[in-house]
């Protein structure tokens, strides 16, 4: 342990001697000993350190943006898939509409009215809920695609979310307005 301490002390003394020699050389060099030249030397070092710190901050920010954008892109794709396959919420809303239709038409409704109230309203409410999920997927995907400096995989997932969300929205609108299939009609 004493040898290490002695080596450290010797190194420190050598550094002090080198600093003294540098200071003396600066005093004898024309123009180098002026306070302005010394200040310029001091100012150069912090600028280099500031540049390094800025580079570190810039290097960290795309990662943070990439993580958030990646998460949002995955959420967009998941919302799109949910819009296409249906949700538990949509099923609950549809069952509620079915029950309300049964209560409204119990015993007194015509067959056409029963079909509309019991099945049509449930069908349309499911399409509405799925359309809301598809619209949310499109909004999130659009936000991700407008972010600057995003990785390629984030862009790809966001585009997939936007395409699936658009498809889900198209299907929901078509189902809501009975464009693909119409409600059955009662025989007279």
């Amino acid at each position: 342990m004493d040898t290490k301490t002695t080596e450290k002390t010797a190194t420190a003394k050598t550094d002090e001697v080198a600093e003294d020699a540098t200071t003396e050389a600066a005093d004898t060099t024309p123009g180098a000993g002026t306070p302005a030249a010394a200040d310029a030397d001091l100012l150069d070092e912090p600028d280099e350190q500031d540049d390094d710190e800025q580079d570190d901050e810039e290097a960290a920010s795309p990662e943070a943006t990439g993580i958030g954008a990646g998460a949002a892109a995955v959420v967009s794709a998941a919302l799109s898939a949910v819009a296409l396959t249906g949700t538990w919420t949509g099923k609950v809303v549809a069952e509620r509409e079915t029950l309300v239709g049964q209560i409204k038409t119990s015993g007194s409704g015509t067959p056409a009215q029963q079909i509309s109230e019991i099945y049509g309203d449930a069908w349309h409410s499911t399409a509405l809920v799925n359309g809301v999920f598809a619209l949310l997927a499109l909004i999130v995907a659009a936000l991700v695609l407008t972010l600057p400096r995003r990785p390629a995989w984030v862009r790809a997932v966001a585009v997939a979310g936007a395409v699936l969300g658009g498809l889900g929205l198209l299907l929901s609108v078509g189902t809501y307005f009975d464009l693909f299939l119409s409600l059955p009609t009662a025989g007279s």
Side-chain angles (χ1 to χ4, degrees), residues 78-92 94 125-134 168 171-172:
L79 285 172
S80 298
V82 165
L84 287 172
T85 60
T87 65
W88 175 80
T89 307
K91 186 174 181 176
V92 168
S125 62
T126 301
L128 185 65
V129 170
N130 291 344
V132 167
F133 276 93
L171 291 173
S172 295

mmCIF file with all atom_site columns, all heavy atoms in Angstrom, residues 78-92 94 125-134 168 171-172:
data_model
loop_
_atom_site.group_PDB
_atom_site.id
_atom_site.type_symbol
_atom_site.label_atom_id
_atom_site.label_alt_id
_atom_site.label_comp_id
_atom_site.label_asym_id
_atom_site.label_entity_id
_atom_site.label_seq_id
_atom_site.pdbx_PDB_ins_code
_atom_site.Cartn_x
_atom_site.Cartn_y
_atom_site.Cartn_z
_atom_site.occupancy
_atom_site.B_iso_or_equiv
_atom_site.pdbx_formal_charge
_atom_site.auth_seq_id
_atom_site.auth_comp_id
_atom_site.auth_asym_id
_atom_site.auth_atom_id
_atom_site.pdbx_PDB_model_num
ATOM 1   N N   . ALA A 1 78  ? -53.036 -2.610  -32.419 1.00 0.00 ? 78  ALA A N   1
ATOM 2   C CA  . ALA A 1 78  ? -53.927 -3.381  -31.549 1.00 0.00 ? 78  ALA A CA  1
ATOM 3   C C   . ALA A 1 78  ? -55.362 -2.848  -31.611 1.00 0.00 ? 78  ALA A C   1
ATOM 4   O O   . ALA A 1 78  ? -56.320 -3.625  -31.676 1.00 0.00 ? 78  ALA A O   1
ATOM 5   C CB  . ALA A 1 78  ? -53.418 -3.341  -30.109 1.00 0.00 ? 78  ALA A CB  1
ATOM 6   N N   . LEU A 1 79  ? -55.519 -1.522  -31.605 1.00 0.00 ? 79  LEU A N   1
ATOM 7   C CA  . LEU A 1 79  ? -56.857 -0.936  -31.716 1.00 0.00 ? 79  LEU A CA  1
ATOM 8   C C   . LEU A 1 79  ? -57.499 -1.311  -33.050 1.00 0.00 ? 79  LEU A C   1
ATOM 9   O O   . LEU A 1 79  ? -58.710 -1.564  -33.122 1.00 0.00 ? 79  LEU A O   1
ATOM 10  C CB  . LEU A 1 79  ? -56.789 0.584   -31.568 1.00 0.00 ? 79  LEU A CB  1
ATOM 11  C CG  . LEU A 1 79  ? -56.559 1.127   -30.169 1.00 0.00 ? 79  LEU A CG  1
ATOM 12  C CD1 . LEU A 1 79  ? -56.315 2.629   -30.214 1.00 0.00 ? 79  LEU A CD1 1
ATOM 13  C CD2 . LEU A 1 79  ? -57.725 0.810   -29.260 1.00 0.00 ? 79  LEU A CD2 1
ATOM 14  N N   . SER A 1 80  ? -56.694 -1.364  -34.097 1.00 0.00 ? 80  SER A N   1
ATOM 15  C CA  . SER A 1 80  ? -57.217 -1.749  -35.412 1.00 0.00 ? 80  SER A CA  1
ATOM 16  C C   . SER A 1 80  ? -57.705 -3.187  -35.400 1.00 0.00 ? 80  SER A C   1
ATOM 17  O O   . SER A 1 80  ? -58.770 -3.501  -35.946 1.00 0.00 ? 80  SER A O   1
ATOM 18  C CB  . SER A 1 80  ? -56.135 -1.588  -36.476 1.00 0.00 ? 80  SER A CB  1
ATOM 19  O OG  . SER A 1 80  ? -55.741 -0.252  -36.568 1.00 0.00 ? 80  SER A OG  1
ATOM 20  N N   . ALA A 1 81  ? -56.917 -4.059  -34.798 1.00 0.00 ? 81  ALA A N   1
ATOM 21  C CA  . ALA A 1 81  ? -57.317 -5.467  -34.718 1.00 0.00 ? 81  ALA A CA  1
ATOM 22  C C   . ALA A 1 81  ? -58.602 -5.615  -33.905 1.00 0.00 ? 81  ALA A C   1
ATOM 23  O O   . ALA A 1 81  ? -59.498 -6.393  -34.261 1.00 0.00 ? 81  ALA A O   1
ATOM 24  C CB  . ALA A 1 81  ? -56.200 -6.306  -34.105 1.00 0.00 ? 81  ALA A CB  1
ATOM 25  N N   . VAL A 1 82  ? -58.708 -4.866  -32.829 1.00 0.00 ? 82  VAL A N   1
ATOM 26  C CA  . VAL A 1 82  ? -59.913 -4.906  -32.000 1.00 0.00 ? 82  VAL A CA  1
ATOM 27  C C   . VAL A 1 82  ? -61.108 -4.387  -32.788 1.00 0.00 ? 82  VAL A C   1
ATOM 28  O O   . VAL A 1 82  ? -62.213 -4.938  -32.695 1.00 0.00 ? 82  VAL A O   1
ATOM 29  C CB  . VAL A 1 82  ? -59.698 -4.086  -30.704 1.00 0.00 ? 82  VAL A CB  1
ATOM 30  C CG1 . VAL A 1 82  ? -60.997 -3.796  -29.995 1.00 0.00 ? 82  VAL A CG1 1
ATOM 31  C CG2 . VAL A 1 82  ? -58.737 -4.811  -29.785 1.00 0.00 ? 82  VAL A CG2 1
ATOM 32  N N   . ALA A 1 83  ? -60.898 -3.342  -33.588 1.00 0.00 ? 83  ALA A N   1
ATOM 33  C CA  . ALA A 1 83  ? -61.998 -2.793  -34.384 1.00 0.00 ? 83  ALA A CA  1
ATOM 34  C C   . ALA A 1 83  ? -62.492 -3.807  -35.408 1.00 0.00 ? 83  ALA A C   1
ATOM 35  O O   . ALA A 1 83  ? -63.690 -3.856  -35.712 1.00 0.00 ? 83  ALA A O   1
ATOM 36  C CB  . ALA A 1 83  ? -61.551 -1.511  -35.080 1.00 0.00 ? 83  ALA A CB  1
ATOM 37  N N   . LEU A 1 84  ? -61.594 -4.618  -35.937 1.00 0.00 ? 84  LEU A N   1
ATOM 38  C CA  . LEU A 1 84  ? -61.989 -5.612  -36.940 1.00 0.00 ? 84  LEU A CA  1
ATOM 39  C C   . LEU A 1 84  ? -62.655 -6.844  -36.327 1.00 0.00 ? 84  LEU A C   1
ATOM 40  O O   . LEU A 1 84  ? -63.552 -7.431  -36.924 1.00 0.00 ? 84  LEU A O   1
ATOM 41  C CB  . LEU A 1 84  ? -60.772 -6.044  -37.759 1.00 0.00 ? 84  LEU A CB  1
ATOM 42  C CG  . LEU A 1 84  ? -60.250 -5.014  -38.751 1.00 0.00 ? 84  LEU A CG  1
ATOM 43  C CD1 . LEU A 1 84  ? -58.936 -5.476  -39.339 1.00 0.00 ? 84  LEU A CD1 1
ATOM 44  C CD2 . LEU A 1 84  ? -61.279 -4.748  -39.838 1.00 0.00 ? 84  LEU A CD2 1
ATOM 45  N N   . THR A 1 85  ? -62.202 -7.234  -35.139 1.00 0.00 ? 85  THR A N   1
ATOM 46  C CA  . THR A 1 85  ? -62.723 -8.469  -34.540 1.00 0.00 ? 85  THR A CA  1
ATOM 47  C C   . THR A 1 85  ? -63.872 -8.230  -33.578 1.00 0.00 ? 85  THR A C   1
ATOM 48  O O   . THR A 1 85  ? -64.599 -9.159  -33.248 1.00 0.00 ? 85  THR A O   1
ATOM 49  C CB  . THR A 1 85  ? -61.611 -9.222  -33.795 1.00 0.00 ? 85  THR A CB  1
ATOM 50  O OG1 . THR A 1 85  ? -61.093 -8.386  -32.753 1.00 0.00 ? 85  THR A OG1 1
ATOM 51  C CG2 . THR A 1 85  ? -60.503 -9.621  -34.742 1.00 0.00 ? 85  THR A CG2 1
ATOM 52  N N   . GLY A 1 86  ? -64.044 -7.043  -33.089 1.00 0.00 ? 86  GLY A N   1
ATOM 53  C CA  . GLY A 1 86  ? -65.099 -6.746  -32.134 1.00 0.00 ? 86  GLY A CA  1
ATOM 54  C C   . GLY A 1 86  ? -64.558 -6.713  -30.713 1.00 0.00 ? 86  GLY A C   1
ATOM 55  O O   . GLY A 1 86  ? -63.472 -7.210  -30.431 1.00 0.00 ? 86  GLY A O   1
ATOM 56  N N   . THR A 1 87  ? -65.321 -6.114  -29.833 1.00 0.00 ? 87  THR A N   1
ATOM 57  C CA  . THR A 1 87  ? -64.894 -5.956  -28.446 1.00 0.00 ? 87  THR A CA  1
ATOM 58  C C   . THR A 1 87  ? -65.961 -6.478  -27.500 1.00 0.00 ? 87  THR A C   1
ATOM 59  O O   . THR A 1 87  ? -67.124 -6.658  -27.872 1.00 0.00 ? 87  THR A O   1
ATOM 60  C CB  . THR A 1 87  ? -64.649 -4.465  -28.116 1.00 0.00 ? 87  THR A CB  1
ATOM 61  O OG1 . THR A 1 87  ? -65.890 -3.757  -28.202 1.00 0.00 ? 87  THR A OG1 1
ATOM 62  C CG2 . THR A 1 87  ? -63.637 -3.838  -29.042 1.00 0.00 ? 87  THR A CG2 1
ATOM 63  N N   . TRP A 1 88  ? -65.539 -6.675  -26.291 1.00 0.00 ? 88  TRP A N   1
ATOM 64  C CA  . TRP A 1 88  ? -66.476 -7.057  -25.243 1.00 0.00 ? 88  TRP A CA  1
ATOM 65  C C   . TRP A 1 88  ? -67.469 -5.916  -25.029 1.00 0.00 ? 88  TRP A C   1
ATOM 66  O O   . TRP A 1 88  ? -68.666 -6.146  -24.835 1.00 0.00 ? 88  TRP A O   1
ATOM 67  C CB  . TRP A 1 88  ? -65.689 -7.354  -23.966 1.00 0.00 ? 88  TRP A CB  1
ATOM 68  C CG  . TRP A 1 88  ? -66.566 -7.646  -22.795 1.00 0.00 ? 88  TRP A CG  1
ATOM 69  C CD1 . TRP A 1 88  ? -67.183 -8.833  -22.504 1.00 0.00 ? 88  TRP A CD1 1
ATOM 70  C CD2 . TRP A 1 88  ? -66.958 -6.732  -21.765 1.00 0.00 ? 88  TRP A CD2 1
ATOM 71  N NE1 . TRP A 1 88  ? -67.921 -8.712  -21.351 1.00 0.00 ? 88  TRP A NE1 1
ATOM 72  C CE2 . TRP A 1 88  ? -67.799 -7.428  -20.874 1.00 0.00 ? 88  TRP A CE2 1
ATOM 73  C CE3 . TRP A 1 88  ? -66.674 -5.393  -21.509 1.00 0.00 ? 88  TRP A CE3 1
ATOM 74  C CZ2 . TRP A 1 88  ? -68.356 -6.827  -19.762 1.00 0.00 ? 88  TRP A CZ2 1
ATOM 75  C CZ3 . TRP A 1 88  ? -67.230 -4.800  -20.395 1.00 0.00 ? 88  TRP A CZ3 1
ATOM 76  C CH2 . TRP A 1 88  ? -68.064 -5.516  -19.544 1.00 0.00 ? 88  TRP A CH2 1
ATOM 77  N N   . THR A 1 89  ? -66.984 -4.691  -25.100 1.00 0.00 ? 89  THR A N   1
ATOM 78  C CA  . THR A 1 89  ? -67.854 -3.532  -24.912 1.00 0.00 ? 89  THR A CA  1
ATOM 79  C C   . THR A 1 89  ? -68.937 -3.497  -25.987 1.00 0.00 ? 89  THR A C   1
ATOM 80  O O   . THR A 1 89  ? -70.110 -3.230  -25.697 1.00 0.00 ? 89  THR A O   1
ATOM 81  C CB  . THR A 1 89  ? -67.029 -2.229  -24.964 1.00 0.00 ? 89  THR A CB  1
ATOM 82  O OG1 . THR A 1 89  ? -65.962 -2.325  -24.041 1.00 0.00 ? 89  THR A OG1 1
ATOM 83  C CG2 . THR A 1 89  ? -67.866 -1.017  -24.652 1.00 0.00 ? 89  THR A CG2 1
ATOM 84  N N   . GLY A 1 90  ? -68.545 -3.777  -27.220 1.00 0.00 ? 90  GLY A N   1
ATOM 85  C CA  . GLY A 1 90  ? -69.522 -3.808  -28.302 1.00 0.00 ? 90  GLY A CA  1
ATOM 86  C C   . GLY A 1 90  ? -70.569 -4.874  -28.085 1.00 0.00 ? 90  GLY A C   1
ATOM 87  O O   . GLY A 1 90  ? -71.758 -4.668  -28.365 1.00 0.00 ? 90  GLY A O   1
ATOM 88  N N   . LYS A 1 91  ? -70.146 -6.011  -27.567 1.00 0.00 ? 91  LYS A N   1
ATOM 89  C CA  . LYS A 1 91  ? -71.095 -7.106  -27.304 1.00 0.00 ? 91  LYS A CA  1
ATOM 90  C C   . LYS A 1 91  ? -72.080 -6.720  -26.196 1.00 0.00 ? 91  LYS A C   1
ATOM 91  O O   . LYS A 1 91  ? -73.279 -6.987  -26.294 1.00 0.00 ? 91  LYS A O   1
ATOM 92  C CB  . LYS A 1 91  ? -70.337 -8.372  -26.916 1.00 0.00 ? 91  LYS A CB  1
ATOM 93  C CG  . LYS A 1 91  ? -71.212 -9.566  -26.760 1.00 0.00 ? 91  LYS A CG  1
ATOM 94  C CD  . LYS A 1 91  ? -70.420 -10.828 -26.518 1.00 0.00 ? 91  LYS A CD  1
ATOM 95  C CE  . LYS A 1 91  ? -71.364 -11.997 -26.387 1.00 0.00 ? 91  LYS A CE  1
ATOM 96  N NZ  . LYS A 1 91  ? -70.684 -13.261 -26.249 1.00 0.00 ? 91  LYS A NZ  1
ATOM 97  N N   . VAL A 1 92  ? -71.577 -6.078  -25.155 1.00 0.00 ? 92  VAL A N   1
ATOM 98  C CA  . VAL A 1 92  ? -72.445 -5.648  -24.053 1.00 0.00 ? 92  VAL A CA  1
ATOM 99  C C   . VAL A 1 92  ? -73.455 -4.609  -24.538 1.00 0.00 ? 92  VAL A C   1
ATOM 100 O O   . VAL A 1 92  ? -74.644 -4.669  -24.206 1.00 0.00 ? 92  VAL A O   1
ATOM 101 C CB  . VAL A 1 92  ? -71.602 -5.099  -22.873 1.00 0.00 ? 92  VAL A CB  1
ATOM 102 C CG1 . VAL A 1 92  ? -72.471 -4.396  -21.850 1.00 0.00 ? 92  VAL A CG1 1
ATOM 103 C CG2 . VAL A 1 92  ? -70.812 -6.219  -22.228 1.00 0.00 ? 92  VAL A CG2 1
ATOM 104 N N   . ALA A 1 94  ? -74.545 -4.256  -27.577 1.00 0.00 ? 94  ALA A N   1
ATOM 105 C CA  . ALA A 1 94  ? -75.496 -4.942  -28.454 1.00 0.00 ? 94  ALA A CA  1
ATOM 106 C C   . ALA A 1 94  ? -76.538 -5.716  -27.647 1.00 0.00 ? 94  ALA A C   1
ATOM 107 O O   . ALA A 1 94  ? -77.743 -5.691  -27.969 1.00 0.00 ? 94  ALA A O   1
ATOM 108 C CB  . ALA A 1 94  ? -74.747 -5.884  -29.395 1.00 0.00 ? 94  ALA A CB  1
ATOM 109 N N   . SER A 1 125 ? -75.388 -0.695  -33.068 1.00 0.00 ? 125 SER A N   1
ATOM 110 C CA  . SER A 1 125 ? -74.575 -0.265  -31.915 1.00 0.00 ? 125 SER A CA  1
ATOM 111 C C   . SER A 1 125 ? -73.226 -0.985  -31.896 1.00 0.00 ? 125 SER A C   1
ATOM 112 O O   . SER A 1 125 ? -72.205 -0.390  -31.535 1.00 0.00 ? 125 SER A O   1
ATOM 113 C CB  . SER A 1 125 ? -75.336 -0.481  -30.605 1.00 0.00 ? 125 SER A CB  1
ATOM 114 O OG  . SER A 1 125 ? -75.609 -1.843  -30.413 1.00 0.00 ? 125 SER A OG  1
ATOM 115 N N   . THR A 1 126 ? -73.187 -2.243  -32.313 1.00 0.00 ? 126 THR A N   1
ATOM 116 C CA  . THR A 1 126 ? -71.906 -2.954  -32.418 1.00 0.00 ? 126 THR A CA  1
ATOM 117 C C   . THR A 1 126 ? -71.028 -2.297  -33.469 1.00 0.00 ? 126 THR A C   1
ATOM 118 O O   . THR A 1 126 ? -69.822 -2.099  -33.257 1.00 0.00 ? 126 THR A O   1
ATOM 119 C CB  . THR A 1 126 ? -72.141 -4.436  -32.782 1.00 0.00 ? 126 THR A CB  1
ATOM 120 O OG1 . THR A 1 126 ? -72.944 -5.036  -31.780 1.00 0.00 ? 126 THR A OG1 1
ATOM 121 C CG2 . THR A 1 126 ? -70.835 -5.181  -32.907 1.00 0.00 ? 126 THR A CG2 1
ATOM 122 N N   . ALA A 1 127 ? -71.617 -1.936  -34.602 1.00 0.00 ? 127 ALA A N   1
ATOM 123 C CA  . ALA A 1 127 ? -70.860 -1.260  -35.658 1.00 0.00 ? 127 ALA A CA  1
ATOM 124 C C   . ALA A 1 127 ? -70.344 0.091   -35.175 1.00 0.00 ? 127 ALA A C   1
ATOM 125 O O   . ALA A 1 127 ? -69.213 0.489   -35.498 1.00 0.00 ? 127 ALA A O   1
ATOM 126 C CB  . ALA A 1 127 ? -71.734 -1.084  -36.893 1.00 0.00 ? 127 ALA A CB  1
ATOM 127 N N   . LEU A 1 128 ? -71.133 0.779   -34.375 1.00 0.00 ? 128 LEU A N   1
ATOM 128 C CA  . LEU A 1 128 ? -70.718 2.083   -33.855 1.00 0.00 ? 128 LEU A CA  1
ATOM 129 C C   . LEU A 1 128 ? -69.525 1.944   -32.905 1.00 0.00 ? 128 LEU A C   1
ATOM 130 O O   . LEU A 1 128 ? -68.558 2.701   -33.010 1.00 0.00 ? 128 LEU A O   1
ATOM 131 C CB  . LEU A 1 128 ? -71.898 2.755   -33.149 1.00 0.00 ? 128 LEU A CB  1
ATOM 132 C CG  . LEU A 1 128 ? -71.663 4.174   -32.647 1.00 0.00 ? 128 LEU A CG  1
ATOM 133 C CD1 . LEU A 1 128 ? -71.417 5.111   -33.819 1.00 0.00 ? 128 LEU A CD1 1
ATOM 134 C CD2 . LEU A 1 128 ? -72.859 4.648   -31.846 1.00 0.00 ? 128 LEU A CD2 1
ATOM 135 N N   . VAL A 1 129 ? -69.574 0.988   -31.999 1.00 0.00 ? 129 VAL A N   1
ATOM 136 C CA  . VAL A 1 129 ? -68.467 0.785   -31.059 1.00 0.00 ? 129 VAL A CA  1
ATOM 137 C C   . VAL A 1 129 ? -67.192 0.389   -31.806 1.00 0.00 ? 129 VAL A C   1
ATOM 138 O O   . VAL A 1 129 ? -66.111 0.923   -31.560 1.00 0.00 ? 129 VAL A O   1
ATOM 139 C CB  . VAL A 1 129 ? -68.836 -0.266  -29.987 1.00 0.00 ? 129 VAL A CB  1
ATOM 140 C CG1 . VAL A 1 129 ? -67.623 -0.660  -29.161 1.00 0.00 ? 129 VAL A CG1 1
ATOM 141 C CG2 . VAL A 1 129 ? -69.934 0.265   -29.083 1.00 0.00 ? 129 VAL A CG2 1
ATOM 142 N N   . ASN A 1 130 ? -67.315 -0.530  -32.765 1.00 0.00 ? 130 ASN A N   1
ATOM 143 C CA  . ASN A 1 130 ? -66.146 -0.942  -33.545 1.00 0.00 ? 130 ASN A CA  1
ATOM 144 C C   . ASN A 1 130 ? -65.605 0.221   -34.379 1.00 0.00 ? 130 ASN A C   1
ATOM 145 O O   . ASN A 1 130 ? -64.395 0.355   -34.562 1.00 0.00 ? 130 ASN A O   1
ATOM 146 C CB  . ASN A 1 130 ? -66.485 -2.126  -34.443 1.00 0.00 ? 130 ASN A CB  1
ATOM 147 C CG  . ASN A 1 130 ? -66.726 -3.388  -33.650 1.00 0.00 ? 130 ASN A CG  1
ATOM 148 O OD1 . ASN A 1 130 ? -66.371 -3.490  -32.484 1.00 0.00 ? 130 ASN A OD1 1
ATOM 149 N ND2 . ASN A 1 130 ? -67.350 -4.365  -34.286 1.00 0.00 ? 130 ASN A ND2 1
ATOM 150 N N   . GLY A 1 131 ? -66.491 1.068   -34.873 1.00 0.00 ? 131 GLY A N   1
ATOM 151 C CA  . GLY A 1 131 ? -66.064 2.247   -35.628 1.00 0.00 ? 131 GLY A CA  1
ATOM 152 C C   . GLY A 1 131 ? -65.292 3.236   -34.769 1.00 0.00 ? 131 GLY A C   1
ATOM 153 O O   . GLY A 1 131 ? -64.336 3.862   -35.238 1.00 0.00 ? 131 GLY A O   1
ATOM 154 N N   . VAL A 1 132 ? -65.685 3.369   -33.503 1.00 0.00 ? 132 VAL A N   1
ATOM 155 C CA  . VAL A 1 132 ? -64.957 4.262   -32.593 1.00 0.00 ? 132 VAL A CA  1
ATOM 156 C C   . VAL A 1 132 ? -63.533 3.735   -32.373 1.00 0.00 ? 132 VAL A C   1
ATOM 157 O O   . VAL A 1 132 ? -62.561 4.499   -32.403 1.00 0.00 ? 132 VAL A O   1
ATOM 158 C CB  . VAL A 1 132 ? -65.713 4.411   -31.249 1.00 0.00 ? 132 VAL A CB  1
ATOM 159 C CG1 . VAL A 1 132 ? -64.846 5.065   -30.197 1.00 0.00 ? 132 VAL A CG1 1
ATOM 160 C CG2 . VAL A 1 132 ? -66.995 5.208   -31.458 1.00 0.00 ? 132 VAL A CG2 1
ATOM 161 N N   . PHE A 1 133 ? -63.397 2.426   -32.192 1.00 0.00 ? 133 PHE A N   1
ATOM 162 C CA  . PHE A 1 133 ? -62.065 1.844   -32.030 1.00 0.00 ? 133 PHE A CA  1
ATOM 163 C C   . PHE A 1 133 ? -61.225 2.024   -33.300 1.00 0.00 ? 133 PHE A C   1
ATOM 164 O O   . PHE A 1 133 ? -60.035 2.315   -33.234 1.00 0.00 ? 133 PHE A O   1
ATOM 165 C CB  . PHE A 1 133 ? -62.162 0.362   -31.649 1.00 0.00 ? 133 PHE A CB  1
ATOM 166 C CG  . PHE A 1 133 ? -62.359 0.134   -30.184 1.00 0.00 ? 133 PHE A CG  1
ATOM 167 C CD1 . PHE A 1 133 ? -63.636 -0.001  -29.660 1.00 0.00 ? 133 PHE A CD1 1
ATOM 168 C CD2 . PHE A 1 133 ? -61.274 0.053   -29.334 1.00 0.00 ? 133 PHE A CD2 1
ATOM 169 C CE1 . PHE A 1 133 ? -63.825 -0.203  -28.301 1.00 0.00 ? 133 PHE A CE1 1
ATOM 170 C CE2 . PHE A 1 133 ? -61.454 -0.155  -27.976 1.00 0.00 ? 133 PHE A CE2 1
ATOM 171 C CZ  . PHE A 1 133 ? -62.732 -0.282  -27.457 1.00 0.00 ? 133 PHE A CZ  1
ATOM 172 N N   . ALA A 1 134 ? -61.842 1.866   -34.448 1.00 0.00 ? 134 ALA A N   1
ATOM 173 C CA  . ALA A 1 134 ? -61.118 2.046   -35.709 1.00 0.00 ? 134 ALA A CA  1
ATOM 174 C C   . ALA A 1 134 ? -60.680 3.498   -35.881 1.00 0.00 ? 134 ALA A C   1
ATOM 175 O O   . ALA A 1 134 ? -59.554 3.769   -36.329 1.00 0.00 ? 134 ALA A O   1
ATOM 176 C CB  . ALA A 1 134 ? -61.998 1.615   -36.874 1.00 0.00 ? 134 ALA A CB  1
ATOM 177 N N   . GLY A 1 168 ? -61.201 -1.210  -40.843 1.00 0.00 ? 168 GLY A N   1
ATOM 178 C CA  . GLY A 1 168 ? -62.196 -1.367  -39.778 1.00 0.00 ? 168 GLY A CA  1
ATOM 179 C C   . GLY A 1 168 ? -63.242 -0.275  -39.807 1.00 0.00 ? 168 GLY A C   1
ATOM 180 O O   . GLY A 1 168 ? -64.440 -0.537  -39.611 1.00 0.00 ? 168 GLY A O   1
ATOM 181 N N   . LEU A 1 171 ? -65.597 -0.944  -42.778 1.00 0.00 ? 171 LEU A N   1
ATOM 182 C CA  . LEU A 1 171 ? -66.545 -2.019  -42.464 1.00 0.00 ? 171 LEU A CA  1
ATOM 183 C C   . LEU A 1 171 ? -67.599 -1.567  -41.452 1.00 0.00 ? 171 LEU A C   1
ATOM 184 O O   . LEU A 1 171 ? -68.778 -1.939  -41.562 1.00 0.00 ? 171 LEU A O   1
ATOM 185 C CB  . LEU A 1 171 ? -65.806 -3.245  -41.937 1.00 0.00 ? 171 LEU A CB  1
ATOM 186 C CG  . LEU A 1 171 ? -64.954 -3.988  -42.966 1.00 0.00 ? 171 LEU A CG  1
ATOM 187 C CD1 . LEU A 1 171 ? -64.141 -5.088  -42.286 1.00 0.00 ? 171 LEU A CD1 1
ATOM 188 C CD2 . LEU A 1 171 ? -65.821 -4.558  -44.067 1.00 0.00 ? 171 LEU A CD2 1
ATOM 189 N N   . SER A 1 172 ? -67.191 -0.784  -40.482 1.00 0.00 ? 172 SER A N   1
ATOM 190 C CA  . SER A 1 172 ? -68.147 -0.306  -39.466 1.00 0.00 ? 172 SER A CA  1
ATOM 191 C C   . SER A 1 172 ? -69.174 0.631   -40.073 1.00 0.00 ? 172 SER A C   1
ATOM 192 O O   . SER A 1 172 ? -70.376 0.535   -39.777 1.00 0.00 ? 172 SER A O   1
ATOM 193 C CB  . SER A 1 172 ? -67.401 0.404   -38.343 1.00 0.00 ? 172 SER A CB  1
ATOM 194 O OG  . SER A 1 172 ? -66.580 -0.484  -37.661 1.00 0.00 ? 172 SER A OG  1
#
